PDB file of all heavy atoms in Angstrom:
ATOM      1  N   LEU A  18      -3.584  -5.352  48.804  1.00 46.00           N
ATOM      2  CA  LEU A  18      -3.920  -4.620  47.558  1.00 46.00           C
ATOM      3  C   LEU A  18      -2.929  -4.828  46.522  1.00 46.00           C
ATOM      4  O   LEU A  18      -3.204  -4.797  45.373  1.00 46.00           O
ATOM      5  CB  LEU A  18      -4.180  -3.142  48.048  1.00 46.00           C
ATOM      6  CG  LEU A  18      -5.306  -2.704  49.006  1.00 46.00           C
ATOM      7  CD1 LEU A  18      -5.186  -1.382  49.353  1.00 46.00           C
ATOM      8  CD2 LEU A  18      -6.683  -3.048  48.197  1.00 46.00           C
ATOM      9  N   THR A  19      -1.591  -4.883  47.037  1.00 51.00           N
ATOM     10  CA  THR A  19      -0.583  -5.031  46.053  1.00 51.00           C
ATOM     11  C   THR A  19      -0.681  -6.327  45.295  1.00 51.00           C
ATOM     12  O   THR A  19      -0.384  -6.288  44.065  1.00 51.00           O
ATOM     13  CB  THR A  19       0.739  -4.980  46.794  1.00 51.00           C
ATOM     14  OG1 THR A  19       0.841  -3.789  47.586  1.00 51.00           O
ATOM     15  CG2 THR A  19       1.955  -5.042  45.807  1.00 51.00           C
ATOM     16  N   ARG A  20      -1.256  -7.339  45.865  1.00 56.00           N
ATOM     17  CA  ARG A  20      -1.463  -8.629  45.255  1.00 56.00           C
ATOM     18  C   ARG A  20      -2.349  -8.567  43.966  1.00 56.00           C
ATOM     19  O   ARG A  20      -2.229  -9.246  42.878  1.00 56.00           O
ATOM     20  CB  ARG A  20      -1.887  -9.620  46.182  1.00 56.00           C
ATOM     21  CG  ARG A  20      -0.865 -10.015  47.237  1.00 56.00           C
ATOM     22  CD  ARG A  20      -1.499 -11.078  48.268  1.00 56.00           C
ATOM     23  NE  ARG A  20      -0.655 -11.327  49.344  1.00 56.00           N
ATOM     24  CZ  ARG A  20      -1.051 -12.063  50.389  1.00 56.00           C
ATOM     25  NH1 ARG A  20      -2.250 -12.528  50.575  1.00 56.00           N
ATOM     26  NH2 ARG A  20      -0.147 -12.272  51.288  1.00 56.00           N
ATOM     27  N   TYR A  21      -3.399  -7.600  44.014  1.00 51.00           N
ATOM     28  CA  TYR A  21      -4.268  -7.419  42.947  1.00 51.00           C
ATOM     29  C   TYR A  21      -3.765  -6.565  41.908  1.00 51.00           C
ATOM     30  O   TYR A  21      -4.033  -6.774  40.762  1.00 51.00           O
ATOM     31  CB  TYR A  21      -5.606  -7.018  43.581  1.00 51.00           C
ATOM     32  CG  TYR A  21      -6.357  -8.007  44.351  1.00 51.00           C
ATOM     33  CD1 TYR A  21      -6.374  -7.922  45.727  1.00 51.00           C
ATOM     34  CD2 TYR A  21      -7.039  -9.103  43.791  1.00 51.00           C
ATOM     35  CE1 TYR A  21      -7.113  -8.956  46.466  1.00 51.00           C
ATOM     36  CE2 TYR A  21      -7.652  -9.985  44.451  1.00 51.00           C
ATOM     37  CZ  TYR A  21      -7.758  -9.985  45.841  1.00 51.00           C
ATOM     38  OH  TYR A  21      -8.310 -10.861  46.619  1.00 51.00           O
ATOM     39  N   PHE A  22      -3.197  -5.430  42.361  1.00 51.00           N
ATOM     40  CA  PHE A  22      -2.733  -4.352  41.412  1.00 51.00           C
ATOM     41  C   PHE A  22      -1.549  -4.762  40.514  1.00 51.00           C
ATOM     42  O   PHE A  22      -1.522  -4.488  39.320  1.00 51.00           O
ATOM     43  CB  PHE A  22      -2.437  -3.030  42.077  1.00 51.00           C
ATOM     44  CG  PHE A  22      -3.691  -2.270  42.545  1.00 51.00           C
ATOM     45  CD1 PHE A  22      -3.927  -2.178  43.839  1.00 51.00           C
ATOM     46  CD2 PHE A  22      -4.645  -1.764  41.508  1.00 51.00           C
ATOM     47  CE1 PHE A  22      -5.080  -1.504  44.249  1.00 51.00           C
ATOM     48  CE2 PHE A  22      -5.627  -1.187  42.026  1.00 51.00           C
ATOM     49  CZ  PHE A  22      -6.000  -0.934  43.363  1.00 51.00           C
ATOM     50  N   VAL A  23      -0.693  -5.551  41.018  1.00 51.00           N
ATOM     51  CA  VAL A  23       0.545  -5.896  40.275  1.00 51.00           C
ATOM     52  C   VAL A  23       0.258  -6.834  39.129  1.00 51.00           C
ATOM     53  O   VAL A  23       0.601  -6.548  37.891  1.00 51.00           O
ATOM     54  CB  VAL A  23       1.598  -6.671  41.254  1.00 51.00           C
ATOM     55  CG1 VAL A  23       2.702  -7.298  40.304  1.00 51.00           C
ATOM     56  CG2 VAL A  23       2.202  -5.643  42.157  1.00 51.00           C
ATOM     57  N   PRO A  24      -0.680  -7.849  39.238  1.00 50.00           N
ATOM     58  CA  PRO A  24      -1.055  -8.628  38.036  1.00 50.00           C
ATOM     59  C   PRO A  24      -1.719  -7.866  37.038  1.00 50.00           C
ATOM     60  O   PRO A  24      -1.603  -8.067  35.871  1.00 50.00           O
ATOM     61  CB  PRO A  24      -1.890  -9.772  38.611  1.00 50.00           C
ATOM     62  CG  PRO A  24      -1.526  -9.865  40.143  1.00 50.00           C
ATOM     63  CD  PRO A  24      -1.122  -8.538  40.498  1.00 50.00           C
ATOM     64  N   MET A  25      -2.547  -6.902  37.496  1.00 54.00           N
ATOM     65  CA  MET A  25      -3.416  -6.083  36.497  1.00 54.00           C
ATOM     66  C   MET A  25      -2.402  -5.192  35.758  1.00 54.00           C
ATOM     67  O   MET A  25      -2.585  -5.029  34.493  1.00 54.00           O
ATOM     68  CB  MET A  25      -4.392  -5.172  37.202  1.00 54.00           C
ATOM     69  CG  MET A  25      -5.531  -6.093  37.932  1.00 54.00           C
ATOM     70  SD  MET A  25      -6.747  -4.996  38.673  1.00 54.00           S
ATOM     71  CE  MET A  25      -7.380  -4.029  37.434  1.00 54.00           C
ATOM     72  N   LEU A  26      -1.415  -4.648  36.321  1.00 50.00           N
ATOM     73  CA  LEU A  26      -0.415  -3.798  35.700  1.00 50.00           C
ATOM     74  C   LEU A  26       0.267  -4.620  34.694  1.00 50.00           C
ATOM     75  O   LEU A  26       0.603  -4.282  33.503  1.00 50.00           O
ATOM     76  CB  LEU A  26       0.530  -3.133  36.624  1.00 50.00           C
ATOM     77  CG  LEU A  26      -0.116  -2.067  37.493  1.00 50.00           C
ATOM     78  CD1 LEU A  26       0.916  -1.574  38.514  1.00 50.00           C
ATOM     79  CD2 LEU A  26      -0.573  -0.914  36.587  1.00 50.00           C
ATOM     80  N   LEU A  27       0.641  -5.930  34.958  1.00 49.00           N
ATOM     81  CA  LEU A  27       1.441  -6.762  34.053  1.00 49.00           C
ATOM     82  C   LEU A  27       0.548  -7.127  32.924  1.00 49.00           C
ATOM     83  O   LEU A  27       1.035  -7.211  31.788  1.00 49.00           O
ATOM     84  CB  LEU A  27       1.852  -8.054  34.905  1.00 49.00           C
ATOM     85  CG  LEU A  27       2.843  -7.879  35.917  1.00 49.00           C
ATOM     86  CD1 LEU A  27       3.119  -9.233  36.733  1.00 49.00           C
ATOM     87  CD2 LEU A  27       4.250  -7.440  35.366  1.00 49.00           C
ATOM     88  N   LEU A  28      -0.699  -7.311  33.161  1.00 45.00           N
ATOM     89  CA  LEU A  28      -1.594  -7.663  31.952  1.00 45.00           C
ATOM     90  C   LEU A  28      -1.675  -6.442  31.047  1.00 45.00           C
ATOM     91  O   LEU A  28      -1.715  -6.673  29.794  1.00 45.00           O
ATOM     92  CB  LEU A  28      -3.013  -8.113  32.520  1.00 45.00           C
ATOM     93  CG  LEU A  28      -3.112  -9.448  33.205  1.00 45.00           C
ATOM     94  CD1 LEU A  28      -4.485  -9.615  33.827  1.00 45.00           C
ATOM     95  CD2 LEU A  28      -2.814 -10.474  32.210  1.00 45.00           C
ATOM     96  N   GLN A  29      -1.747  -5.327  31.569  1.00 47.00           N
ATOM     97  CA  GLN A  29      -1.840  -4.077  30.672  1.00 47.00           C
ATOM     98  C   GLN A  29      -0.586  -3.952  29.958  1.00 47.00           C
ATOM     99  O   GLN A  29      -0.548  -3.447  28.879  1.00 47.00           O
ATOM    100  CB  GLN A  29      -2.076  -2.844  31.513  1.00 47.00           C
ATOM    101  CG  GLN A  29      -3.541  -2.836  32.112  1.00 47.00           C
ATOM    102  CD  GLN A  29      -3.735  -1.538  32.961  1.00 47.00           C
ATOM    103  OE1 GLN A  29      -2.909  -0.873  33.256  1.00 47.00           O
ATOM    104  NE2 GLN A  29      -4.950  -1.536  33.452  1.00 47.00           N
ATOM    105  N   MET A  30       0.542  -4.320  30.509  1.00 47.00           N
ATOM    106  CA  MET A  30       1.821  -4.243  29.854  1.00 47.00           C
ATOM    107  C   MET A  30       2.023  -5.204  28.740  1.00 47.00           C
ATOM    108  O   MET A  30       2.466  -5.007  27.655  1.00 47.00           O
ATOM    109  CB  MET A  30       3.024  -4.190  30.746  1.00 47.00           C
ATOM    110  CG  MET A  30       3.078  -3.244  31.804  1.00 47.00           C
ATOM    111  SD  MET A  30       4.415  -3.573  33.015  1.00 47.00           S
ATOM    112  CE  MET A  30       5.786  -3.555  31.938  1.00 47.00           C
ATOM    113  N   ILE A  31       1.346  -6.402  28.849  1.00 44.00           N
ATOM    114  CA  ILE A  31       1.437  -7.441  27.916  1.00 44.00           C
ATOM    115  C   ILE A  31       0.413  -7.340  26.809  1.00 44.00           C
ATOM    116  O   ILE A  31       0.674  -7.702  25.636  1.00 44.00           O
ATOM    117  CB  ILE A  31       1.255  -8.846  28.554  1.00 44.00           C
ATOM    118  CG1 ILE A  31       2.397  -9.018  29.644  1.00 44.00           C
ATOM    119  CG2 ILE A  31       1.222  -9.967  27.532  1.00 44.00           C
ATOM    120  CD1 ILE A  31       2.099 -10.364  30.391  1.00 44.00           C
ATOM    121  N   ALA A  32      -0.723  -6.624  27.022  1.00 43.00           N
ATOM    122  CA  ALA A  32      -1.812  -6.607  26.154  1.00 43.00           C
ATOM    123  C   ALA A  32      -1.454  -5.968  24.883  1.00 43.00           C
ATOM    124  O   ALA A  32      -1.930  -6.423  23.734  1.00 43.00           O
ATOM    125  CB  ALA A  32      -2.881  -5.797  26.813  1.00 43.00           C
ATOM    126  N   PRO A  33      -0.627  -4.835  24.669  1.00 43.00           N
ATOM    127  CA  PRO A  33      -0.369  -4.224  23.357  1.00 43.00           C
ATOM    128  C   PRO A  33       0.037  -5.225  22.283  1.00 43.00           C
ATOM    129  O   PRO A  33      -0.136  -5.046  21.174  1.00 43.00           O
ATOM    130  CB  PRO A  33       0.562  -3.154  23.700  1.00 43.00           C
ATOM    131  CG  PRO A  33       0.286  -2.770  25.148  1.00 43.00           C
ATOM    132  CD  PRO A  33      -0.068  -3.999  25.787  1.00 43.00           C
ATOM    133  N   SER A  34       0.793  -6.273  22.704  1.00 46.00           N
ATOM    134  CA  SER A  34       1.413  -7.139  21.777  1.00 46.00           C
ATOM    135  C   SER A  34       0.435  -8.004  21.069  1.00 46.00           C
ATOM    136  O   SER A  34       0.615  -8.584  20.030  1.00 46.00           O
ATOM    137  CB  SER A  34       2.534  -8.084  22.347  1.00 46.00           C
ATOM    138  OG  SER A  34       1.818  -8.887  23.428  1.00 46.00           O
ATOM    139  N   SER A  35      -0.874  -8.087  21.688  1.00 49.00           N
ATOM    140  CA  SER A  35      -1.868  -8.987  21.053  1.00 49.00           C
ATOM    141  C   SER A  35      -3.226  -8.332  20.997  1.00 49.00           C
ATOM    142  O   SER A  35      -4.214  -8.877  20.998  1.00 49.00           O
ATOM    143  CB  SER A  35      -2.034 -10.222  21.935  1.00 49.00           C
ATOM    144  OG  SER A  35      -2.410  -9.983  23.313  1.00 49.00           O
ATOM    145  N   GLU A  36      -3.082  -6.929  21.133  1.00 61.00           N
ATOM    146  CA  GLU A  36      -4.391  -6.128  21.033  1.00 61.00           C
ATOM    147  C   GLU A  36      -5.076  -6.143  19.609  1.00 61.00           C
ATOM    148  O   GLU A  36      -4.261  -6.624  18.687  1.00 61.00           O
ATOM    149  CB  GLU A  36      -4.199  -4.814  21.442  1.00 61.00           C
ATOM    150  CG  GLU A  36      -3.259  -3.957  20.549  1.00 61.00           C
ATOM    151  CD  GLU A  36      -3.105  -2.485  20.922  1.00 61.00           C
ATOM    152  OE1 GLU A  36      -3.841  -2.162  21.782  1.00 61.00           O
ATOM    153  OE2 GLU A  36      -2.183  -1.940  20.456  1.00 61.00           O
ATOM    154  N   HIS A  37      -6.295  -5.964  19.521  1.00 84.00           N
ATOM    155  CA  HIS A  37      -6.947  -5.830  18.288  1.00 84.00           C
ATOM    156  C   HIS A  37      -6.385  -4.744  17.419  1.00 84.00           C
ATOM    157  O   HIS A  37      -5.914  -3.795  17.951  1.00 84.00           O
ATOM    158  CB  HIS A  37      -8.441  -5.746  18.371  1.00 84.00           C
ATOM    159  CG  HIS A  37      -9.053  -6.941  19.161  1.00 84.00           C
ATOM    160  ND1 HIS A  37     -10.350  -7.176  19.256  1.00 84.00           N
ATOM    161  CD2 HIS A  37      -8.490  -8.216  19.474  1.00 84.00           C
ATOM    162  CE1 HIS A  37     -10.620  -8.404  19.814  1.00 84.00           C
ATOM    163  NE2 HIS A  37      -9.423  -9.025  19.900  1.00 84.00           N
ATOM    164  N   PHE A  38      -6.468  -4.874  16.140  1.00 94.00           N
ATOM    165  CA  PHE A  38      -6.005  -3.887  15.255  1.00 94.00           C
ATOM    166  C   PHE A  38      -6.823  -3.733  13.950  1.00 94.00           C
ATOM    167  O   PHE A  38      -7.741  -4.621  13.767  1.00 94.00           O
ATOM    168  CB  PHE A  38      -4.471  -4.121  14.774  1.00 94.00           C
ATOM    169  CG  PHE A  38      -4.393  -5.524  14.183  1.00 94.00           C
ATOM    170  CD1 PHE A  38      -4.726  -5.912  12.924  1.00 94.00           C
ATOM    171  CD2 PHE A  38      -3.830  -6.618  14.940  1.00 94.00           C
ATOM    172  CE1 PHE A  38      -4.514  -7.083  12.329  1.00 94.00           C
ATOM    173  CE2 PHE A  38      -3.726  -7.870  14.434  1.00 94.00           C
ATOM    174  CZ  PHE A  38      -4.045  -8.174  13.108  1.00 94.00           C
ATOM    175  N   THR A  39      -6.641  -2.707  13.189  1.00 95.00           N
ATOM    176  CA  THR A  39      -7.370  -2.543  11.919  1.00 95.00           C
ATOM    177  C   THR A  39      -6.220  -2.480  10.836  1.00 95.00           C
ATOM    178  O   THR A  39      -5.081  -2.118  11.123  1.00 95.00           O
ATOM    179  CB  THR A  39      -8.237  -1.274  11.855  1.00 95.00           C
ATOM    180  OG1 THR A  39      -7.406  -0.192  12.154  1.00 95.00           O
ATOM    181  CG2 THR A  39      -9.302  -1.377  12.973  1.00 95.00           C
ATOM    182  N   VAL A  40      -6.686  -2.690   9.659  1.00 96.00           N
ATOM    183  CA  VAL A  40      -5.827  -2.717   8.459  1.00 96.00           C
ATOM    184  C   VAL A  40      -6.335  -1.618   7.550  1.00 96.00           C
ATOM    185  O   VAL A  40      -7.522  -1.623   7.152  1.00 96.00           O
ATOM    186  CB  VAL A  40      -5.753  -4.069   7.756  1.00 96.00           C
ATOM    187  CG1 VAL A  40      -4.768  -3.899   6.494  1.00 96.00           C
ATOM    188  CG2 VAL A  40      -5.365  -5.051   8.725  1.00 96.00           C
ATOM    189  N   THR A  41      -5.480  -0.706   7.161  1.00 95.00           N
ATOM    190  CA  THR A  41      -5.950   0.315   6.229  1.00 95.00           C
ATOM    191  C   THR A  41      -5.018   0.169   4.875  1.00 95.00           C
ATOM    192  O   THR A  41      -3.845  -0.079   4.956  1.00 95.00           O
ATOM    193  CB  THR A  41      -5.655   1.725   6.736  1.00 95.00           C
ATOM    194  OG1 THR A  41      -4.352   1.865   7.080  1.00 95.00           O
ATOM    195  CG2 THR A  41      -6.547   1.970   8.011  1.00 95.00           C
ATOM    196  N   GLY A  42      -5.744   0.311   3.698  1.00 94.00           N
ATOM    197  CA  GLY A  42      -5.078   0.146   2.457  1.00 94.00           C
ATOM    198  C   GLY A  42      -5.098   1.498   1.760  1.00 94.00           C
ATOM    199  O   GLY A  42      -5.522   2.538   2.257  1.00 94.00           O
ATOM    200  N   LEU A  43      -4.644   1.511   0.475  1.00 93.00           N
ATOM    201  CA  LEU A  43      -4.609   2.711  -0.391  1.00 93.00           C
ATOM    202  C   LEU A  43      -6.061   3.111  -0.701  1.00 93.00           C
ATOM    203  O   LEU A  43      -6.909   2.182  -1.096  1.00 93.00           O
ATOM    204  CB  LEU A  43      -3.744   2.471  -1.570  1.00 93.00           C
ATOM    205  CG  LEU A  43      -2.282   2.243  -1.308  1.00 93.00           C
ATOM    206  CD1 LEU A  43      -1.654   1.816  -2.717  1.00 93.00           C
ATOM    207  CD2 LEU A  43      -1.615   3.264  -0.736  1.00 93.00           C
ATOM    208  N   GLN A  44      -6.358   4.376  -0.723  1.00 89.00           N
ATOM    209  CA  GLN A  44      -7.768   4.836  -0.919  1.00 89.00           C
ATOM    210  C   GLN A  44      -7.872   5.039  -2.506  1.00 89.00           C
ATOM    211  O   GLN A  44      -6.978   5.485  -3.217  1.00 89.00           O
ATOM    212  CB  GLN A  44      -7.970   6.197  -0.266  1.00 89.00           C
ATOM    213  CG  GLN A  44      -7.942   6.051   1.242  1.00 89.00           C
ATOM    214  CD  GLN A  44      -8.991   5.145   1.821  1.00 89.00           C
ATOM    215  OE1 GLN A  44     -10.025   5.053   1.390  1.00 89.00           O
ATOM    216  NE2 GLN A  44      -8.561   4.377   2.821  1.00 89.00           N
TER     217      GLN A  44
END
Side-chain angles (χ1 to χ4, degrees):
L18 293 175
T19 304
R20 292 175 184 175
Y21 289 104
F22 283 115
V23 170
M25 292 177 64
L26 290 173
L27 291 175
L28 289 173
Q29 291 179 356
M30 294 175 63
I31 298 173
S34 62
S35 59
E36 66 178 344
H37 291 182
F38 53 79
T39 59
V40 181
T41 57
L43 299 175
Q44 299 297 321

